[in-house]
Amino acid sequence: MATSSAVLTPEPVLTRPETVVTGPAPRRSPSVLAAALAASWAVPLLLHAVALDVLLLPVLILTIAALIRVGGGLLDRLVVSAFLLCGAVMALGLLFSVWPWGLAPVPGAGLLLTTASVSGWLARRRPRIPLRLRGSDALVVATVAVVWHYVHHPVAGKSAADRLAYFVTSEDRMGHFSYFTGIRQVGGYAFLHQDAARTYMMTPSEAVYPQGSHFLLAWIDSLVTSSAQAGSALAMTNRYFLYVLAAYALFCGALVWAARWIGGPRLRGWRAAAVCATVAAVMMSGSMAELIERGFDSETIGLLFLALALALLVRPATGRAEFVLVAMAGLIAVTYVYNLYGALVGLALTAVLLVHRRRFTGRWVPVLAALAGAALVAALPSVFSVLTKLDVAKTSNLAGPMVIPDRPVFIGLGLLALVVATLPVNRRTGTGRMVLAVVLGAATVIGVFGAWQKATIGYYSYYFEKLTAAGLVIALLSLGLTGLMLPAAGSTAGTALRRRADLLLRSGLAAAAALALFGGVQWGVPSGWGHPSAWYDSPMLKWTRGEARSADIARPAAALTERDLRGATSPVIALYSNDAYLNLRSTCDCKAEEGADAEHRRPTTTRQARVPDPAAQAGLRGHDLRPRRPRAARSGPRCP
């Protein structure tokens, strides 16, 4: 059997195991299969006839949830089911991209339901969904609801045209939207339709950029619109913007769920509340909310899938079949969305095969064969891009705007995870060993990549901070194991109502304490410094108030257009800083300005904008153009 994955504590176990169906397994009746296959196509056709294809999403999730055997609670089952569905959609997207129906809702949903029906029939699985809820489910759902409220508030009630002011705050989001648009128009992955996709995106993006998140959103969009046709550009822009806002809310909720999953059924009561609220507080008040205004849409969705994949590998509380399905979905989903994070999933998968090796005794050949096949499918787009147009070394050192994870939280939680995982009680458990392996492995990957950047370009650049964001995710997930080290509350004497009230009170106080400690929430207590608390000054609250705007190039662009372009009669290259990305973007703005006044200017020779020295900067009308450390020039689809 597998190594135990739960920390042994003296507290009684109150959770009930999932009901075990006794007796012989159901026969593989051909009539049952025929009925399931008929329903697999009748339901999509019926919903399409009434333009309600979007209901196929809950139908697919519930169908998968009824056939898998993961977790004893409803929320756990639904989360894993949705994760498996996303991995399947991205993998089958290779087929959707080449068959004649493209992203049409009925054929794709019909194939997915058919696959689920046949798989359940072959496995002799009776449909069954656990209806049990846990008290901490409310914290997971509340995190999604609260984050959605804050990120959606600035655009609530506004027209699609008015929302464009929030949509175009970053260059990256415009790029991601072009990938989404291209996939919607060509009906599949852009790297499989490169000639057609170049109409919608900047080359070589159609061949080299990971397209999993864009394909997944395009497929969902086809269900929302009940059509393979994208429709008007303005409406499509609005829908895409809402999708990515929802993705960040789901990312925060997935992290809370993942930390609780790692804690297992013993993490309950006030300890579960403390862990869940701490993760939610860090995500709501920390710098990761800047992912929204920066337009790092693929990174957001990649981190979401990374959190789910790592949680289900660190504590693989599933049967062998479900473990293989989860591992395959994790490899494909994470690598297709953000291939930089695929190495971390591979590291965790290697660790779980070693730590839980006894679990696969007698089944190594089919397990390894399935995982090897999934690895080949997962690597296909990345290998394709490397063999065509991707320069890995140059791309790895790109410069650009960064979302820097909170260093004290990242380092502190990582060190805390190491302390907890190395305790004797946890060294004997599978979860403790997996946390130790994942934390040390991720630290090694981040350290090696950082050392390579320091050796090649002399500083930490764009993708280093992307890796540290994954490190923050791992550190937050590890809080599930840390929570088990908190003292368990003793039994409360009295009636059931009194016991429930006592549990609710302790859990509420624990959640409030976590939000105050890690989120800066003051709960109405006036600030002693005469200024708002850290909570009200957080990136997410700034976005909510409409104050967050990506300003990577705002000051130099203003200085360029208000001062240095006056009277210019030739092309201008703006060199305002030692930051190559800032100069690149300023020059692009310069070209745009010249294009607007082309009829009044005659391009002759290249003219270079004056580089202001520190003494002259004070006279630039408040524009801070202090030189920065040198950075590598940004390549790719950042500037025409």
Side-chain angles (χ1 to χ4, degrees), residues 579-601:
D579 188 321
Y581 173 67
L582 187 149
N583 291 331
L584 174 67
R585 294 304 305 140
S586 298
T587 300
C588 288
D589 278 5
C590 167
K591 291 178 181 178
E593 181 76 10
E594 287 182 351
D597 297 333
E599 59 180 326
H600 303 294
R601 299 176 185 166

Side-chain angles (χ1 to χ4, degrees), residues 186-203:
V186 304
Y189 284 114
F191 73 90
L192 296 177
H193 300 276
Q194 292 187 37
D195 290 338
R198 289 191 190 100
T199 304
Y200 307 98
M201 61 188 68
M202 188 181 302
T203 192

